Amino acid sequence: MADYFVGHKEYFAGIGKIKYEGAKSDNPLAFKYYDAERLVGNKKMKDHLRFAIAYWHSFCADGTDPFGAATHPHPWVTDSKSAAEAAEHKLDAAFEFFTKMGAEFYCFHDRDVVAEGATPAESEKNLQAWTAKAKERQKATGVKLLWGTANLFSNPRFMNGGATNPEFKVLALGASQVKAAIDATIELNGQGYTFWGGREGYMSLLNTDLKREKEHLARFLTLARDYARKQGFKGAFYIEPKPCEPTKHQYDYDTETVIGFLRYYGLDKDFRLNIEANHAELAGHDFAHELETAAAAGMLGSVDANRGDYINGWDTDQFPSSYYEAALAMFAILKAGGFTTGGLNFDSKIRRNSVDPADLFEAHIGGMDTFAVGLVIAQRMLDDGKIPAFVKKRYASFDSGDGAKFEKGEFDLPALAGLVKEYGNIGLTSGKQEYLENLLNSYLLGL
Ligand code: XLS
Ligand code: NI
Ligand code: NI
């Protein structure tokens, strides 16, 4: 990758390209474990992990929260004289950061990259102008677009939803935004297009026709899919489940709910899941549960690699730091065959009190190192083979004889029930959970 900032203002001056220095390095601005070119199994680390940087958190979020003002205002905004200038400077800062981090992908919402215009037509023009500039920077640096999306939740007009808004005109405005965001994604050769329905849900059932809203959502997604395919989009569509926040209840509550919805409406061939760790926790699941559930349906697409805080119940979007969780996540991803169009997008933001310019780098370094460790451990789990072999053996009674006949659908219920006459005492077989957890810990330490 070229040094992007040459010829532009350098926004992160004093911080160079982040290099791999190994576990013994005490340089906070170096990778300890993420060695992009290192082979793990049959692929390079970078090709397994496909890291993406989230435009909204890294270049838009400024520490504002419901209780206080910005703590880290961005120079690309404060130094700019107009919204258009700020958008271009933000783009420069973003590509400088991508290249310095060595991240090969990024993700964006339409409203992250350029300000909304006075009319939908003006907004679309703004986005097209930005897209042309982003395309040039992609070409210059080799950085690619993992996925694009439309923000149908920030503008007050979407306070009652976008695709599920009770007012048809608002739904149509949402469609105009999605169409423009799909066009931008195609133009930038995006590998995916995501729907996260923050306000596609309800605050109260007393004012909601739930059945109608879900049908509207399905039709809206179908129209988007049909349009994008007609325009030649070959990538994946993703739904990103989340149970609530900002709504009391979101229709794409969790992976299992989304799979049922997609299958019911015939969208399961084009759509896959974008699983976010923090959303999994909010739904009362763990990250690996959501990944395995999507993989079992053949619909694991991409990942928002962040974490919550176990003590509080909202979407804190913190950078991942647990090797244990990353190992279980990467184990699920490797077992599913790895990413194709998807990758690990850091839908994570630095804390409000992280005000040093280096904090954004250290946060991403930590997240990338965490998943690099997770990958190595997961590969170790597969190579050593004890856990997969244990699971296989646990179901061995279905591999032959009557168990295999059951799986093939060769029994009716009376025939199945009749088999037990000959069984006698079946006995108890241990699930060996503690043994398996001990084994996992030994892989973690690598002893
Ligand atoms: C919010 C979501 C959002 C999506 C993209 O909770 O995680 O950031 O990833 O719209
Ligand atoms: Ni989130
Ligand atoms: Ni997300």
Side-chain angles (χ1 to χ4, degrees):
M1 280 181 210
D3 280 340
Y4 171 69
F5 56 86
V6 174
H8 297 263
K9 176 172 169 154
E10 187 180 4
Y11 281 98
F12 304 96
I15 299 177
K17 198 161 162 42
I18 306 301
K19 297 194 186 72
Y20 167 72
E21 291 185 5
K24 294 213 166 61
S25 165
D26 64 359
N27 175 4
L29 290 170
F31 294 117
K32 313 292 178 304
Y33 304 103
Y34 178 59
D35 181 5
E37 301 296 321
R38 172 173 163 191
L39 266 187
V40 176
N42 57 0
K43 274 199 277 190
K44 291 179 180 172
M45 269 193 172
K46 62 175 188 178
D47 298 327
H48 276 292
L49 299 168
R50 293 168 57 86
F51 287 122
I53 288 171
Y55 215 95
W56 54 103
H57 285 312
S58 296
F59 313 109
C60 306
D62 56 8
T64 308
D65 77 6
F67 302 95
T71 52
H72 35 86
H74 298 302
W76 41 93
V77 177
T78 51
D79 293 355
S80 300
K81 283 180 223 62
S82 65
E85 211 180 285
E88 180 140 18
H89 290 163
K90 196 195 280 185
L91 186 61
D92 286 339
F95 274 78
E96 180 191 332
F97 187 75
F98 303 155
T99 48
K100 285 185 169 175
M101 282 309 308
E104 283 183 288
F105 296 94
Y106 71 105
C107 300
F108 74 95
H109 299 81
D110 50 357
R111 297 298 183 249
D112 305 337
V113 294
V114 61
E116 183 164 0
T119 62
E122 195 183 306
S123 298
E124 191 169 343
K125 242 180 75 204
N126 290 350
L127 184 61
Q128 283 165 349
W130 174 85
T131 303
K133 292 182 182 139
K135 200 174 175 177
E136 280 170 20
R137 278 132 175 112
Q138 286 188 193
K139 220 171 131 211
T141 60
V143 174
K144 298 183 278 280
L145 176 62
L146 191 68
W147 51 257
T149 187
N151 175 334
L152 303 191
F153 44 88
S154 294
N155 190 299
R157 81 167 69 92
F158 295 121
M159 68 181 186
N160 292 313
T164 61
N165 199 292
E167 167 57 56
F168 172 70
K169 287 181 178 165
V170 178
L171 181 149
L173 274 172
S176 76
Q177 239 181 277
V178 167
K179 180 186 164 294
I182 287 175
D183 290 342
T185 300
I186 295 175
E187 182 64 19
L188 293 171
N189 211 6
Q191 305 197 5
Y193 184 87
T194 295
F195 290 89
W196 170 67
R199 295 194 196 271
E200 314 298 7
Y202 60 80
M203 301 303 290
S204 168
L205 281 174
L206 291 174
N207 61 16
T208 303
D209 186 335
L210 181 146
K211 181 171 190 289
R212 235 171 151 175
E213 289 200 359
K214 286 209 270 191
E215 278 165 6
H216 293 171
L217 178 60
R219 185 168 307 279
F220 190 96
L221 296 174
T222 305
L223 297 181
R225 189 262 325 260
D226 292 348
Y227 172 73
R229 291 293 183 232
K230 222 171 130 200
Q231 299 305 111
F233 178 61
K234 300 257 176 342
F237 296 91
Y238 305 121
I239 303 268
E240 181 180 324
K242 186 176 182 185
C244 55
E245 194 211 12
T247 53
K248 165 191 162 69
H249 176 93
Q250 218 174 286
Y251 294 130
D252 45 19
Y253 194 93
D254 65 359
T255 298
E256 201 70 71
T257 308
V258 169
I259 292 169
F261 175 90
L262 292 173
R263 285 184 173 157
Y264 183 75
Y265 288 105
L267 292 165
D268 50 312
K269 299 285 170 289
D270 298 280
F271 281 78
R272 291 186 224 156
L273 276 297
N274 180 43
I275 308 285
E276 176 165 323
N278 204 161
H279 298 181
E281 291 161 13
L282 296 182
H285 304 306
D286 49 37
F287 186 20
H289 165 91
E290 290 289 83
L291 294 167
E292 297 255 358
T293 302
M299 288 162 77
L300 177 57
S302 200
V303 167
D304 275 9
N306 59 16
R307 71 179 159 111
D309 183 311
Y310 290 121
I311 306 302
N312 51 31
W314 69 91
D315 203 14
T316 58
D317 288 338
Q318 288 168 244
F319 277 86
S321 67
S322 161
Y323 295 159
Y324 197 92
E325 282 173 21
L328 290 175
M330 287 313 302
F331 188 51
I333 292 164
L334 290 187
K335 281 192 296 175
F339 291 123
T340 50
T341 52
L344 294 171
N345 164 48
F346 289 114
D347 192 352
S348 313
K349 57 173 178 264
I350 49 173
R351 299 302 85 192
R352 186 164 187 268
N353 56 1
S354 298
V355 295
D356 290 348
D359 290 332
L360 190 64
F361 284 86
E362 286 163 18
H364 284 85
I365 290 169
M368 289 163 86
D369 271 344
T370 297
F371 270 86
V373 171
L375 168 65
V376 170
I377 296 164
Q379 186 67 44
R380 203 177 278 161
M381 289 161 81
L382 284 178
D383 290 347
D384 187 59
K386 289 198 188 78
I387 293 176
F390 180 88
V391 175
K392 180 142 184 25
K393 194 164 153 245
R394 196 161 183 235
Y395 296 88
S397 63
F398 291 92
D399 290 341
S400 61
D402 289 338
K405 283 192 194 156
F406 166 79
E407 280 198 351
K408 285 192 206 116
E410 290 177 12
F411 292 122
D412 60 14
L413 190 65
L416 184 59
L419 294 172
V420 303
K421 275 183 273 168
E422 299 146 30
Y423 284 171
N425 182 12
I426 300 167
L428 302 177
T429 308
S430 176
K432 306 290 292 174
Q433 182 173 330
E434 296 79 2
Y435 156 76
L436 293 164
E437 286 170 352
N438 296 349
L439 207 51
L440 174 56
N441 276 347
S442 74
Y443 296 134
L444 255 120
L445 284 176
L447 301 174

